[in-house]
Amino acid sequence: MTTNPPIRIVIAGGGSAGWMCAAALSRFLGDGFTVTLVESDEIGIVGVGEATIPQIRLFNQALGIDEDAFVRATGATFKLGIEFVGWGALDERYMHAFGNVGRDSGLIPFHHTWLRGVRDGVARPLGDYALNNVAALANRMQRGAARTASVLPDMPYAFHFDASLYAAYLRRFAEARGVTRVEGRIVDVERDGESGDVAALTLDRDRRVEGDLFLDCTGFRALLIEGALGAGYEDWTRWLPCDRAMAVPSVRAMDFTPYTRATAHGAGWQWRIPLQHRTGNGIVYSSAHLNDDAARDHLLANLDGTPLDDPRPLRFVTGRRRELWKANVIAIGLASGFLEPLESTSIHMIQSAIERVLKLLPSRRIAQVQRDEYNRQAVFEYERIRDFILLHYVANRRDEPFWRERRETALPDTLRAKLDLWKAAAQITREHEELFTEVGWLQVLVGQGVMPDTWHPLADAMPAEQVAEFLDILPKLNAREVAQMPGHADFIARYCAAAEGVAA
Ligand SMILES: Cc1cc2nc3c(=O)[nH]c(=O)nc-3n(C[C@H](O)[C@H](O)[C@H](O)COP(=O)(O)OP(=O)(O)OC[C@H]3O[C@@H](n4cnc5c(N)ncnc54)[C@H](O)[C@@H]3O)c2cc1C
């Protein structure tokens, strides 16, 4: 009896993308595969990704990673949402909190009753109806079922973590499960003359790594998908013109808030991400509207602690590869494209790419329909996340030229349709596997000050006293629940204080 040789999967690059792929493949693929990862310490990783969304917990759970051990090892804190400061008008702020907002009444989603209540003058701010929002602003954290009222939901949460420590954590995980790591610089990509597939990576010191399927995780360099295969790039700068960032860590804030903060400035925005051992900060800006020196000054003037390093500049072009899977190469992570981290989606997109790879995993022969289906799903994901990020920009009421231009941008049809439906009928639809839910869109629409002209007629059918009572109860229940939660810092100290050597 002859047995087939194993299918050789080669991962080029060992940033978060490379090691997330390696960890997942080593966990889910059996004996029929080998996994090799090539990375170059000399080149290093972007390693900025520090804020995530709740789906990261599913990834860690699927790997069987103990949550508290992971939080300790990566200096993580908990994240209940993102606060947007100055995005609507200069002095406004709102939270896109994870999880539910309000409670549906009968057939109609909560926001219709809330909109009616706004008109009647009996509604509280939308955030008061979201348990995550109330807990985040009170700096509290808890896991599991609500303690004081069974009608309240669990609080979904994500993490702020040190991306370099996460990659190192996953490296240990993957190597313990049989992944071979090759240290070296890729100097050439060898293609099969007949099929055009990538046959091998040539490394410095005359080494060669052959494979059947290649995952391009080489970051912005995109050595395989673009360098060797010329997949092409769809540039979205006309919608999202920010093209530069500078990142700098600062001394740990005393107050490590359980939410990310994104503060708009004259030509982009600045992030603040609290970790246990430091605070991650960065400025994202359009180089056509702000020069690098001014961006550096703005960043450093708006830290809440002493900087621990010089700001590190990064350049990018927002958009995506035309083909994310071409020949026998699948681009994952920054090699596949870039969307600014306003909604902390990049690490999630790595995770969902891995899920797609595993679902559509080819045997030795790849069918074109497999590639087509992968690309269709990946493009859908990219475009819908782009629309959601774009919403924050176009619905602003600021005066600077950068912001005025954002309001005047011609929108993609998909976003135009969403906004029209909201304005005309207060409806929000979520298509297929769209990442952001109706309540995510709701919070950003209302937060940015985009209010609809009407609401569902059934909300008008409720007696006024019933609407007032309905809208009065939930904020009280949320406040009572939050009052008994431990503070975020106490919660971390109790369950998952950073390991020795991580905390400064
Ligand atoms: C400013 C900024 C802020 C961000 N913030 C967030 C955030 O808050 N949340 C989030 O989810 N994501 C965020 N991201 C995205 C996140 O950083 C990336 O998605 C994530 O780190 C994955 O990066 P990567 O592994 O694709 O690339 P990289 O980290 O760049 O890794 C590339 C790898 O390829 C290797 N490599 C490259 N060339 C060669 C070669 N010739 N030979 C051998 N090896 C090579 C490198 O050594 C490295 O190991 C942010 C990105 C930027 C730019």
Side-chain angles (χ1 to χ4, degrees), residues 52-60 158-159 161 166 347 351:
T52 56
I53 56 176
Q55 285 83 345
I56 185 76
R57 296 186 57 224
L58 301 176
F59 185 75
N60 286 346
F159 309 100
F161 59 65
Y166 188 48
I347 287 175
Q351 178 182 336

Side-chain angles (χ1 to χ4, degrees), residues 13-18 38-40 43-51 184-186 217-221 223 245 271 273 314 332-335 338 341 344-347 350:
S16 315
V38 180
E39 70 173 324
S40 161
I43 292 174
I45 67 172
V46 164
V48 178
E50 292 178 324
R185 180 186 271 267
I186 302 162
C217 300
T218 59
F220 288 132
R221 289 178 175 79
L223 289 181
W271 77 78
I273 299 177
L314 295 142
I332 298 182
L334 298 173
F338 186 76
S344 315
T345 42
S346 295
I347 287 175
I350 296 170

